[in-house]
Amino acid sequence: MKVALRTLAGVALLLSLPVMHGQATPHKPRHVTPDHPVLAIQDTETTAQRDARMQWWREARFGMFIHWGLYSIPAGVWNGKPVLGIGEWIMNNGSIPVADYEALTPKFNPTGFSAHDIVALAKSAGMKYIVITAKHHDGFAMFDSKANSFNIVDATPFKRDPLRELADECRKQGIKLGFYYSQDQDWTAPGGAALKTNNHDLPNHHWDPAQDGDFDAYLHTKAIPQIKELLTNYGEFPSILWFDTPTPDMTGPRAAEIVALLNQHPNLVWNNRLGGGYKGDTETPEQTIPPQGYPGRDWESCMTINRTWGFVSYDKMFKSTETLLRNLIDISSKGGNYLLNVGPDANGIIPAPEADRLRQMGAWLAVNGEAIYNTQPTLFGAEDGAYSETVKDAQGKPTFVPAWNWRSTTRPDKIYIEIFNWPPDGAFHLDKVPRTVSGAYLLGDPAHKPLKVATTAAGVDIQLPNHALDPIATVLVLMTPSASQQ
Ligand code: GLC
């Protein structure tokens, strides 16, 4: 009897497991998290299987985030008044009634939208993947959804599916495509969740009775059917599902229903924002770069070029190309990915200041990409900066003071030093180099002219030319042939 029960339990477990990758390996799953009603792929796959699944994503390092939707029409202004806050939150920040917000649809006809141009821009920027908002918190679907008619094909004069056009172009141009989906927050669907702003009070932080309803009804009639559509209607895409703002509504059992869907797509990479106790694949620090990254976890810092994700007509606070590139280098040196956002306007055009900066980043990567893509984190660490003895943050913890002289990334036989602050006399010193340096050159020097290298007990000294090749970052390559190559 007991044996029968055990095999029954065994069979049940097998049935709920995600489709295993490739060959059956003897390796035990990395770990099993008992409190997951449905085991996710992260709970069952072996380290080798995970490494295979995450490989493209880890090598990519740099992606484009696209926040685009109905909110691109008001662009931060409602009834002639600016609504402060990030553009895609205008409905919540402005307490805009559902009917008034839905009345935007007849005005949404972005004929300037070109999937070809957007994918080509991402490619010219050196980005390897794109994540676009399929549905944001406002509940409007930027794709052809049979599950709900509040979408760009059924409700607007545009009548085209930008996700399909992007999928076709990404396939053509060799870029991976992912979808952002607001699984909990939905400010137009009855029962959808809402995070609090203004005086939007409990029990559900709604500001219009039309938003009231049952969360399970919202989940089963809109969110889950739409996630199914996104997972099945775009060929091999999405490569990534990017969830956001999990709320207490997303309990373990509810999240498990979504995980059961995700398990049917074993190559999918999904983030840590589903909720219900599921950690997903990637940590997602927002608008910040963690001082030491997330050792042992895959992570992706998502950031705006100005201060908003969705287009806001008066937000001209665009970061410099220098800041954006040094962020990418800093993040890569800590083993993370950079998901950099663009906010197309109501006509589907990416603002020129954003496009220009991306092209300039691409120009640098065209010369120095070897020091970014498919590299490992720094072997040093002190170059990042240090925790201040005196300055404390709001929680009273020492604040981290970053240093911006140089960063480092690594390959098995090379160490890359991305120099921001060029030493006045060209003399560059490294205290402790954990490998034997057999030679050095500048990556941006087509001739790779050998530089003078001196290794002493005090460290390694490299004589650089007097001037940097690139004021934003010049890459010094230290050749460190492994023992077998020497
Ligand atoms: C936050 C914002 C959301 C944005 C996301 C991007 O969660 O609420 O609007 O899409 O960050 O990371």
Side-chain angles (χ1 to χ4, degrees):
M1 181 58 185
K2 223 187 272 112
V3 174
L5 276 178
R6 247 206 311 281
T7 35
L8 260 180
V11 171
L13 176 63
L14 267 176
L15 286 176
S16 75
L17 284 181
V19 183
M20 299 298 276
H21 294 263
Q23 79 291 355
T25 63
H27 305 307
K28 279 200 299 49
R30 284 173 333 117
H31 58 76
V32 172
T33 310
D35 60 359
H36 281 170
V38 167
L39 293 176
I41 195 159
Q42 298 86 10
D43 301 325
T44 57
E45 66 189 345
T46 63
T47 304
Q49 287 156 343
R50 178 173 175 74
D51 291 346
R53 184 167 67 89
M54 295 301 291
Q55 186 181 352
W56 78 263
W57 189 90
R58 291 173 181 165
E59 293 178 356
R61 287 276 179 250
F62 191 27
M64 176 187 271
F65 213 172
I66 304 177
H67 278 69
W68 188 42
L70 280 183
Y71 42 81
S72 309
I73 298 173
V77 180
W78 195 258
N79 292 341
K81 291 201 200 63
V83 176
L84 299 183
I86 43 186
E88 71 281 7
W89 274 67
I90 191 168
M91 185 183 174
N92 194 325
N93 291 333
S95 306
I96 301 170
V98 172
D100 296 2
Y101 192 82
E102 291 180 342
L104 287 169
T105 50
K107 300 187 191 121
F108 197 47
N109 193 10
T111 51
F113 171 77
S114 161
H116 172 272
D117 295 358
I118 289 181
V119 176
L121 175 64
K123 206 164 177 166
S124 71
M127 293 162 151
K128 303 296 184 183
Y129 60 101
I130 292 174
V131 177
I132 181 166
T133 50
K135 188 204 79 162
H136 205 269
H137 308 328
D138 63 353
F140 182 69
M142 290 294 286
F143 62 100
D144 183 8
S145 172
K146 298 291 175 274
N148 186 283
S149 60
F150 187 46
N151 70 69
I152 192 168
V153 174
D154 296 321
T156 80
F158 189 61
K159 302 223 163 311
R160 285 163 44 194
D161 181 340
L163 299 196
R164 177 153 321 287
E165 296 174 21
L166 282 167
D168 295 345
E169 273 303 327
C170 283
R171 198 171 293 119
K172 262 193 229 127
Q173 301 190 43
I175 296 274
K176 299 269 190 187
L177 180 64
F179 298 143
Y180 166 111
Y181 190 85
S182 177
Q183 74 285 6
D184 283 18
Q185 289 204 81
D186 191 313
W187 304 329
T188 46
L195 287 182
K196 178 176 176 45
T197 71
N198 299 319
N199 58 1
H200 303 157
D201 257 330
L202 290 166
N204 48 32
H205 306 308
H206 288 164
W207 55 94
D208 177 349
Q211 298 171 307
D212 298 343
D214 174 56
F215 183 78
D216 270 316
Y218 152 71
L219 205 58
H220 295 110
T221 60
K222 184 174 184 181
I224 289 178
Q226 286 191 328
I227 292 171
K228 255 192 208 134
E229 289 174 327
L230 292 171
L231 287 170
T232 49
N233 293 354
Y234 298 92
E236 74 275 34
F237 299 130
S239 309
I240 298 167
L241 254 191
W242 218 95
F243 297 109
D244 197 15
T245 62
T247 65
D249 302 286
M250 189 55 78
T251 58
R254 286 173 173 153
E257 290 184 56
I258 295 175
V259 169
L261 284 180
L262 305 177
N263 286 346
Q264 302 314 311
H265 302 269
N267 297 322
L268 189 68
V269 172
W270 47 285
N271 69 3
N272 65 341
R273 297 189 184 192
L274 170 60
Y278 286 93
K279 288 197 328 178
D281 292 307
T282 56
E283 299 293 327
T284 52
E286 184 175 310
Q287 303 286 40
T288 184
I289 302 172
Q292 269 97 30
Y294 286 86
R297 279 284 279 171
D298 290 294
W299 63 281
E300 176 190 66
S301 182
C302 57
M303 204 178 281
T304 56
I305 295 180
N306 53 7
R307 294 169 306 171
T308 177
W309 306 91
F311 177 69
V312 166
S313 55
Y314 47 85
D315 184 341
K316 307 298 181 192
M317 301 289 282
F318 299 104
K319 299 174 182 71
S320 67
T321 302
E322 176 182 294
T323 297
L324 299 171
L325 256 177
R326 289 182 177 180
N327 284 348
L328 171 64
I329 296 166
D330 182 34
I331 291 167
S332 302
S333 77
K334 295 165 179 171
N337 282 23
Y338 196 25
L339 188 64
L340 190 56
N341 186 73
V342 294
D345 63 20
N347 196 24
I349 306 293
I350 292 175
E354 295 181 348
D356 296 347
R357 284 158 176 74
L358 293 185
R359 288 194 195 91
Q360 290 156 12
M361 293 178 81
W364 187 89
L365 284 164
V367 175
N368 303 288
E370 177 191 317
I372 299 294
Y373 304 120
N374 190 16
T375 56
Q376 297 304 311
T378 181
L379 296 175
F380 305 96
E383 73 273 15
D384 295 342
Y387 284 93
S388 156
E389 307 297 319
T390 51
V391 187
K392 304 256 184 294
D393 65 15
Q395 286 76 41
K397 290 205 291 319
T399 53
F400 184 81
V401 183
W404 289 101
N405 296 314
W406 54 274
R407 291 289 184 270
S408 179
T409 50
T410 314
R411 276 180 196 282
D413 60 351
K414 291 191 180 77
I415 292 176
Y416 301 94
I417 309 286
E418 295 88 9
I419 304 175
F420 304 148
N421 218 347
W422 199 254
D425 52 4
F428 189 78
H429 175 79
L430 289 166
D431 282 344
K432 294 188 216 58
V433 179
R435 292 183 186 171
T436 306
V437 177
S438 66
Y441 58 89
L442 296 183
L443 190 53
D445 165 17
H448 289 181
K449 192 163 133 296
L451 300 171
K452 202 161 138 294
V453 177
T455 301
T456 64
V460 177
D461 290 286
I462 299 109
Q463 186 53 49
L464 303 169
N466 285 338
H467 302 292
L469 295 182
D470 188 305
I472 293 181
T474 296
V475 180
L476 166 64
V477 183
L478 305 180
M479 294 190 289
T480 60
S482 54
S484 60
Q485 290 165 315
Q486 287 184 18

